[in-house]
């Protein structure tokens, strides 16, 4: 038995061979541990798995891949959490496709806490991002670990909101953990590494690859008791995550919105297909049987505005509108409307969104 | 038999006595018509209904009430549509509490057309009123008569939107038709009297009374195949109408909105309780079996496709896409994508459209 193969590295090496799940289970059952599998003869392997798989076990892995993993593991905060690790997420073990190895940085104890996934559009509206942040914070405070995918938009807002709460957050990457994708989230990833946890099933050095993101999504829903979709277009990775959640027996929650917002259409489709419509974090806690939370749950109250600004806020209502629409709704001239919109934007009460639309912000 | 009692006035007189529904049915069955009931002796009545009811039939009605009804009926456009009238709404007859008499002004043929009720808050937001108007217009154009309660806000917008369409509109009042309540809707009521229909089960002279509005709401839902709630607070007459609709076996539809809008909370509660979430008028037409026949329109739950085909359908979403786009969205090679697209096309789930694009078909 080689010394090199007696460590997490043996798991990593085995993982790089990307064996079919059932074959790997059979091999571990027969040989006891990854090092023994790697040291086994072709005949020994062939007695357990088909010849083609036995051959694949004995093929050397690409030296660069192994080198990238070795280099990454040189940092003592970088870990491999494998199937035989007691910290391996129990939630994944029953799903039939738990990755044999998770590359991990952060607080191991978060891997087996009750978790909720929060996902949604990369192009979230300002209100969508605020909602993600507020729900994540309240649910984290109530003890749920918030799982998301470290993308921009809803994902980033959810991680950010959860970091301050009791349950903290787990970010599941679709690349090697030496590649923070997207780069814009580098600072957030560092905070998560320190106060939460970063997870990837892909070995260090794995670049962003389109085909890996659905697998990442399946891990996100698999880790959680349920998935909350905050904002999603009809053609959206979030709907794929929600579908996985359904297949995995997880709850699916969705936040409704204006029928005129393309980013609500995905949520509305989910609700029509049986997802639970939620208005508050409390709705989710009740559905998960987690009773009344602490004080952490967001109640939203807009600060009362008066005069033309109050009129504009009332005219906006819960929806988005163009300047022209606001002019026609309020009967005020466009220059006055524009000036007041600017005031309201500076006051953080409204935001511009794509399409020349203005939207009210409700802060938790 | 008195001559005065052989006319619509006999129905009105009988109606003013407010007899229990079952007693009235028994009396009509026994005596054939209202005049005969009014002319019957106490002993004849007592052979059909309990003594207390027989006594009530023979008590004179308040002279002012009868006078108000007579005065109202003096206008030739004012009518009584009673149980024995072929134009009496069939939709009400099976409900067990159809008012014996409807006071009516307008186009009688609207009383037995397929109808949809649109109700909602008196304090509708600008967007809510716009939605009510737009849905009402589209559904009226599609042939549905829009029923509502002539209140301000959503009701008024729905009537207004429907008046221009093929199906027109019926307004159900909670007062006598000589009292337009609220006064603000006087001009709208005149347009409805001319191009649609005004209905009340309450005799002329009846002022606004809190207790009469739930009865009015029950009539609104009873006249319709379904009820659309556009905007509603949690404590709202619209939710009562929706409850009646459920009890009457009518469909309930609700428009979602921002979780921060108090006027969406009633709609969200309805959706959680099983109402259909709708984004477009088309959604309602399909649910009522009035969707475009040839195209076989959308049930939202696409048949559960799995594997690569499910992934492709999700990747297509509500949009069209090229093979290249699908390859990049799914990470699957183009030959596999093409093979799966062919399968989906054969299964009638997608179609090729000009420009090398593929589009999902949503079938009812």
């Amino acid at each position: 038995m080689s010394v090199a193969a007696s460590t997490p590295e043996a798991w990593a090496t085995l993982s790089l061979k990307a064996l079919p799940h059932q074959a790997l289970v059979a091999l571990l059952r027969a040989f006891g541990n990854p090092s023994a599998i790697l040291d086994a003869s072709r005949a020994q392997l062939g007695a357990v798995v088909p010849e083609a798989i036995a051959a694949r076990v004995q093929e050397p892995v690409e030296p660069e891949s192994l080198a990238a993993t070795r280099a990454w593991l040189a940092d003592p905060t970088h870990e491999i959490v494998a199937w035989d690790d007691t910290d391996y997420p129990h939630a994944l073990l029953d799903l039939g496709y738990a990755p044999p190895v998770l590359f991990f940085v952060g607080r191991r104890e978060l891997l087996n806490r009750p978790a909720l996934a929060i996902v949604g559009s990369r192009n979230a509206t300002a209100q969508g991002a605020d909602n993600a942040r507020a729900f994540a914070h309240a649910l984290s405070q109530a003890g749920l670990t918030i799982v998301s995918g470290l993308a921009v938009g809803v994902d980033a807002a959810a991680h950010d909101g959860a970091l301050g709460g009791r349950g903290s957050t787990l970010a599941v990457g679709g690349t090697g953990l030496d590649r923070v994708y997207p780069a814009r989230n580098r600072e957030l990833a560092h905070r998560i590494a320190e106060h939460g946890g970063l997870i990837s099933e892909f070995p260090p050095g794995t670049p962003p690859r389109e085909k890996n993101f659905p697998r990442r999504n399946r891990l996100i829903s698999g880790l959680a008791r349920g998935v909350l979709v905050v904002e999603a277009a009809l053609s959206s990775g979030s709907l794929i995550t929600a579908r996985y959640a359904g297949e995995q027996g997880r709850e699916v929650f969705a936040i409704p919105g204006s029928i005129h917002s393309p980013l609500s259409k995905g949520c509305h489709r989910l609700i029509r297909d049986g997802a639970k419509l939620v208005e508050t974090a409390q709705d989710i806690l009740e559905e998960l049987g987690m009773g009344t939370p602490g004080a952490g749950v967001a109640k939203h109250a807009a600060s009362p505005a008066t005069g033309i600004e109050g009129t504009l806020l009332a005219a906006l209502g819960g929806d988005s509108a163009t300047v022209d629409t606001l002019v026609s709704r309020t009967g005020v001239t466009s220059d006055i409307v524009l000036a007041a919109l600017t005031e309201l934007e500076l006051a953080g009460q409204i935001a511009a969104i794509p399409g020349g639309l203005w939207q009210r912000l409700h802060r938790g």
Side-chain angles (χ1 to χ4, degrees), chain A:
Chain A
M1 188 191 286
S2 69
V3 172
S6 66
T7 60
E9 202 178 293
W11 273 109
T13 305
L14 202 57
S15 149
L16 286 171
K17 295 174 189 290
L19 303 176
H21 184 271
Q22 286 185 317
L24 185 55
V25 170
L27 288 167
L28 282 165
R29 201 164 280 160
F31 296 94
N33 65 66
S35 303
I37 296 171
L38 294 173
D39 287 341
S41 72
R42 181 71 158 265
Q44 286 172 317
L45 295 168
V48 177
V49 290
E51 187 55 31
I53 306 255
R56 214 200 295 176
V57 173
Q58 294 209 314
E59 272 167 30
V61 298
E62 286 185 25
E64 314 86 68
S65 299
L66 203 55
T69 297
R70 275 190 185 131
W72 185 81
L73 279 171
D75 184 324
T77 69
H78 294 177
E79 305 184 69
I80 277 179
V81 179
W83 275 352
D84 63 349
D85 193 313
T86 52
D87 287 333
Y88 191 92
H90 302 163
L92 296 179
L93 290 176
D94 294 331
L95 293 180
Y97 47 78
V101 160
L102 296 177
F103 298 88
F104 186 72
V105 187
R107 293 165 53 197
R108 279 172 162 260
E109 72 271 24
L110 296 178
L111 291 170
N112 279 297
R113 293 185 55 160
L116 184 88
I118 298 183
V119 299
S121 176
R122 290 181 177 79
N123 308 308
T125 65
Q127 183 66 65
D130 279 359
N131 287 345
R133 193 174 282 107
F135 273 78
H137 184 71
L139 293 166
S140 171
Q141 276 298 71
L144 284 167
T145 298
I146 303 303
V147 184
S148 195
L150 200 56
V152 295
V154 166
D155 286 18
H159 289 305
D160 186 52
L163 271 171
R166 289 200 302 123
S168 192
T169 194
L170 290 173
V172 184
T175 64
L177 288 186
D178 52 346
R179 314 258 183 138
V180 174
Y181 173 81
R184 182 165 6 155
N185 282 344
R186 192 175 303 273
E187 183 272 334
L188 176 63
H190 286 155
R191 280 194 290 139
I192 295 172
E194 194 166 349
H195 304 289
L198 292 170
I199 303 176
S200 179
E201 63 177 296
F202 305 105
T206 309
R209 286 192 193 112
E210 210 48 59
K211 76 177 165 98
N212 285 345
F213 288 96
R215 281 176 64 184
R216 187 271 310 265
N217 292 349
R218 192 168 62 170
L219 207 58
I220 289 174
S221 55
L223 283 164
R225 296 191 176 185
V227 172
L228 170 65
V229 182
V230 173
E231 275 189 331
L234 275 180
S235 139
S236 155
S238 302
L239 297 202
I240 296 176
T241 309
R243 207 192 61 219
Y244 286 137
E247 291 168 3
Q248 292 163 341
R250 278 34 174 169
E251 297 278 357
V252 181
F253 305 100
I255 297 180
S258 165
I259 58 173
H260 305 290
S261 165
L263 288 174
S264 290
K265 290 195 186 304
C267 291
H268 293 163
R269 171 173 289 178
L270 289 172
I271 291 166
R272 284 197 276 222
D273 289 351
K276 304 241 156 48
L277 181 158
V278 293
E279 292 180 305
T280 64
Q282 182 64 26
D283 292 340
I284 293 172
L285 293 171
E286 281 165 15
E287 202 64 49
L288 295 178
M290 295 180 68
T292 35
V297 178
K299 285 285 175 216
H300 307 276
S303 58
T306 49
I308 172 64
E309 288 160 15
T311 306
L312 279 177
L313 289 178
L316 272 170
D319 235 304
S320 54
T322 62
V323 171
D324 284 351
T325 304
L326 291 171
V327 166
S328 96
R329 278 185 190 161
T330 58
V332 176
T333 59
S334 59
D335 51 339
I336 295 180
V337 166
L338 275 168
L341 288 173
T342 307
E343 287 299 316
L344 286 167
E345 188 182 24
L346 288 171
Q349 298 213 58
I350 62 171
I353 58 174
L357 293 163
W358 290 88
Q359 185 184 51
R360 205 164 161 178
L361 296 176
H362 297 265
R363 298 193 176 274

